Amino acid sequence: MKIAIAASECAPFAKTGGLADVIGALPKALAEIGCEVKVFLPRYSIIDENRHSLHYESQIGEIPIRVAGVVRSVHILRSTLPQSDVDVFFVDCPHYFYRRYIYTMDPDEDERYILFCKAVIETMQYMKWVPDVIQCNDWQTGLIPVFIKENYNWDRMFDKTATVMSIHNIAYQGRFPESTLDKAELRRKEYYPGGPYEFYNTFSFLKTGIIYSEVINTVSETYAREILTPQFGEGMEKVLWPRQNDLHGVINGIDYHIWDPETDPHIPFHYNEDKLDQKIKNKELLLKNTTIPFKPNVPLIGIVSRLVTQKGFDLIADVLSDLVLLDVQWVLLGSGEDRFENLFRTIGQAIPHKFWSYIGFSNELAHLIEAGADMFLMPSHYEPCGLNQMYSLRYGTVPIVRKTGGLADTVLDWHEFNDQFIGNGFSFNESSGYALFTTVKRALDTFKDKETWRKIQINGMKKDFSWTSSAKKYRLLYEEAYAKRNKNK
Ligand code: ADP
Ligand code: GLC
């Protein structure tokens, strides 16, 4: 099958979160099972052209693309995903993508991704490459399905091409005023309450993507069920209800080329289940660069996260005065909302011997924390999939999570699954500081029993999270989408 994958992030080129990890890995796994895959990404100015060997695609010259009534000049650069020959095409349009950050609050944020969606389609036209399926990821690519079916349906080359809308986080819906329809050259006539373009008095890229795609998926089975409820659906549940038969959950995998404690270039001491004693050397080294003294028997909890409401840090704030009394150390890496950045900076200043944080983005430190910490905390209110808990399991760093979305699908509570000897972490249901606190305590108590702790670590390390089985499930989704698109032809 020929698969085009369009996204706004892809590791190692441009990353703010897990979406980048997925787009950097899934295409390789699909290629390994025989798919022909091409990835499409905006060429942000933050992408290091030399490091990633981007070069102009000589087959394609200038592509003129009209957005908001103005024709912009687009060029295409090309590279490949590391350790593969999967092509990545970069949509180069300095007017829209040469900015300080990947995502902006600029008034033309809608135009940036209208241009991207059009450019993906037009690049395929220039290449005369007809995909069987275009997989769109999150709202930034949500207009591709409608463009294929409306704006570009004059081009018969896409007659058979199906689209899959992959939702990595339903809270990000790409909502803009009605006037965005004009910028995208979509018909205002379809903008009425309950119509395909209207979503609570706004125009939503994500809703449009859901409506116009043959198949919809999200990144875990539990989240696929959750987003059908008002509690998790963020209003989009009503759009999904009529599409339940087309909605699937496929858990993300992890890229073992990048996240494997046996080979990880970012960690100095490599290890696996049989050489677990090496792990603590990474802890010692990690702590050397912090204000926290190395104490082998005091557990270290790691956190690596975007510091946003979704991730449940308010629960930590609620029980902070109790948490700081526990005999445990904390290392945190993250950036995001001011209130959380300030909270963690303040704790670090108050108890530097117990709590250290680095507010910012550091890939290298993220790897070192995964390897050096004893436990990893993710108290998310909701979590579509979550990758860090899977990295933690692989690194023998026992996850403590709230039982939601992909966290519920990957972390099995040690006490709950004790009998079956498959427990690999600790989890709690209730979104409360109390539940978080008691679960951290349960983990700390268990940590004292070295033999049990080792079993929990090994249960996690042995679990297979490779992309291969998820890639096969994606292939089934593509086949389903293709069949739906072509059923009456
Ligand atoms: P989300 O996509 O919601 O942010 P995930 O758990 O799926 O959550 O993925 C987060 C990814 O981003 C992981 O690869 C994690 O290591 C990385 N990450 C998050 N914050 C930082 C940071 N401050 N520095 C480095 N990597 C980070
Ligand atoms: C989103 C979700 C996260 C998921 C990632 C990749 O950022 O918040 O849970 O792992 O996408 O699918």
Side-chain angles (χ1 to χ4, degrees):
M1 285 194 104
K2 291 185 183 161
I3 311 296
I5 297 187
S8 56
E9 297 185 28
C10 174
F13 309 107
K15 167 166 170 172
T16 70
L19 172 65
D21 296 20
V22 173
I23 305 304
L26 170 63
K28 291 192 284 188
L30 288 168
E32 274 161 27
I33 59 168
C35 297
E36 183 184 329
V37 194
K38 297 191 194 302
V39 178
F40 295 84
L41 194 71
R43 189 263 194 261
Y44 304 106
S45 47
I46 54 147
I47 297 176
D48 188 333
E49 194 175 314
N50 296 327
R51 190 173 144 222
H52 299 301
S53 326
L54 267 59
H55 56 272
Y56 280 98
E57 171 62 53
S58 55
Q59 310 292 316
I60 309 171
E62 181 192 29
I63 309 180
I65 293 182
R66 190 170 57 213
V67 175
V70 179
V71 177
R72 305 280 172 195
S73 166
V74 170
H75 286 86
I76 301 300
L77 288 96
R78 186 167 170 171
S79 185
T80 48
L81 287 178
Q83 290 115 13
S84 80
D85 49 18
V86 174
D87 286 322
V88 184
F89 296 89
F90 297 85
V91 171
D92 189 32
C93 179
H95 176 75
Y96 285 127
F97 297 122
Y98 289 19
R99 309 218 174 154
R100 240 181 113 190
Y101 298 105
I102 294 181
Y103 304 121
T104 75
M105 305 271 263
D106 298 343
D108 61 354
E109 190 70 356
D110 53 349
E111 295 174 27
R112 300 176 75 217
Y113 290 103
I114 292 170
L115 179 117
F116 178 58
C117 291
K118 288 191 165 185
V120 170
I121 296 171
E122 297 207 16
T123 307
M124 293 188 291
Q125 288 177 318
Y126 273 78
M127 293 193 296
K128 298 190 174 52
W129 184 73
V130 186
D132 298 309
V133 176
I134 307 174
Q135 183 187 337
C136 309
N137 294 274
D138 281 349
W139 74 261
Q140 290 83 359
T141 52
L143 297 188
I144 292 176
V146 69
F147 284 162
I148 288 281
K149 294 195 171 76
E150 304 272 341
N151 307 42
Y152 290 88
N153 74 353
W154 54 267
D155 190 344
R156 308 305 302 269
M157 85 176 244
F158 297 116
D159 272 3
K160 293 185 156 188
T161 300
T163 48
V164 171
M165 185 73 231
S166 298
I167 303 171
H168 297 263
N169 191 330
I170 207 154
Y172 298 94
Q173 303 174 331
R175 291 172 66 175
F176 298 98
E178 189 183 348
S179 53
T180 296
L181 284 167
D182 301 336
K183 296 179 177 179
E185 297 171 351
L186 292 169
R187 281 173 306 180
R188 279 227 191 187
K189 150 163 121 22
E190 305 286 351
Y191 186 88
Y192 55 86
Y197 299 149
E198 193 274 352
F199 185 68
Y200 295 96
N201 290 318
T202 59
F203 168 60
S204 158
F205 280 43
L206 182 63
K207 173 174 173 176
T208 308
I210 292 171
I211 300 265
Y212 284 90
S213 292
E214 277 71 30
V215 163
I216 305 138
N217 83 291
T218 185
V219 286
S220 69
E221 286 180 15
T222 297
Y223 193 61
R225 287 191 299 274
E226 287 174 339
I227 54 176
L228 291 169
T229 67
Q231 188 191 347
F232 292 96
E234 301 279 339
M236 210 54 87
E237 68 280 3
K238 296 197 191 74
V239 179
L240 290 171
W241 283 340
R243 302 295 307 278
Q244 285 184 52
N245 290 336
D246 305 319
L247 172 67
H248 303 272
V250 180
I251 193 87
N252 291 329
I254 65 181
D255 188 338
Y256 289 130
H257 291 299
I258 299 172
W259 294 94
D260 185 345
E262 273 195 278
T263 51
D264 188 336
H266 298 298
I267 66 170
F269 303 102
H270 292 136
Y271 60 95
N272 57 24
E273 295 105 280
D274 304 321
K275 285 194 294 183
L276 244 180
D277 48 317
Q278 293 293 304
K279 179 170 163 60
I280 197 157
K281 295 188 186 164
N282 292 305
K283 175 173 172 176
E284 187 169 7
L285 190 108
L286 166 66
L287 290 181
K288 231 184 217 140
N289 297 313
T290 71
T291 48
I292 302 175
F294 171 62
K295 295 184 187 167
N297 289 320
V298 176
L300 177 68
I301 298 184
I303 296 176
V304 179
S305 185
R306 292 183 295 119
L307 302 180
V308 294
T309 312
Q310 167 194 350
K311 303 291 178 178
F313 296 116
D314 52 318
L315 304 185
I316 296 185
D318 286 349
V319 284
L320 195 59
S321 51
D322 297 313
L323 284 174
V324 298
L325 297 178
L326 297 173
D327 194 18
V328 59
Q329 300 172 330
W330 302 78
V331 167
L332 177 143
L333 164 65
S335 64
E337 292 171 24
D338 288 347
R339 60 181 176 139
F340 295 128
E341 292 191 354
N342 293 337
L343 171 76
F344 294 127
R345 272 200 201 98
T346 312
I347 309 174
Q349 281 154 9
I351 45 167
H353 57 293
K354 272 191 160 182
F355 191 102
W356 180 84
S357 69
Y358 177 83
I359 304 298
F361 196 92
S362 163
N363 193 33
E364 199 173 341
L365 185 56
H367 283 253
L368 198 56
I369 292 177
E370 285 292 3
D374 296 297
M375 303 165 192
F376 194 93
L377 181 61
M378 288 178 81
S380 309
H381 290 295
Y382 72 91
E383 194 61 74
C385 177
L387 294 168
N388 275 312
Q389 84 282 9
M390 292 195 266
Y391 300 151
S392 302
L393 289 167
R394 182 66 171 182
Y395 280 67
T397 304
V398 176
I400 304 172
V401 305
R402 199 175 92 70
K403 219 186 257 183
T404 181
L407 299 175
D409 293 352
T410 51
V411 177
L412 304 175
D413 186 276
W414 170 250
H415 289 107
E416 194 181 332
F417 290 89
N418 203 353
D419 305 345
Q420 298 158 55
F421 309 106
I422 50 169
N424 57 19
F426 296 86
S427 59
F428 56 100
N429 261 305
E430 193 183 273
S431 252
S432 74
Y434 168 78
L436 178 147
F437 180 75
T438 43
T439 309
V440 168
K441 276 213 72 175
R442 264 197 306 128
L444 299 185
D445 284 351
T446 313
F447 181 78
K448 290 180 190 139
D449 174 356
K450 292 288 165 236
E451 208 175 307
T452 300
W453 194 257
R454 208 181 162 83
K455 273 188 206 145
I456 301 174
Q457 288 179 296
I458 288 173
N459 284 350
M461 294 178 88
K462 282 207 302 227
K463 208 160 163 173
D464 179 15
F465 291 115
S466 60
W467 262 106
T468 317
S469 66
S470 296
K472 287 182 185 154
K473 289 184 188 153
Y474 269 99
R475 192 171 53 187
L476 291 175
L477 297 192
Y478 303 146
E479 282 164 6
E480 180 184 326
Y482 189 79
K484 281 180 176 154
R485 171 83 161 146
N486 293 292
K487 71 172 177 283
N488 297 322
K489 287 183 180 147

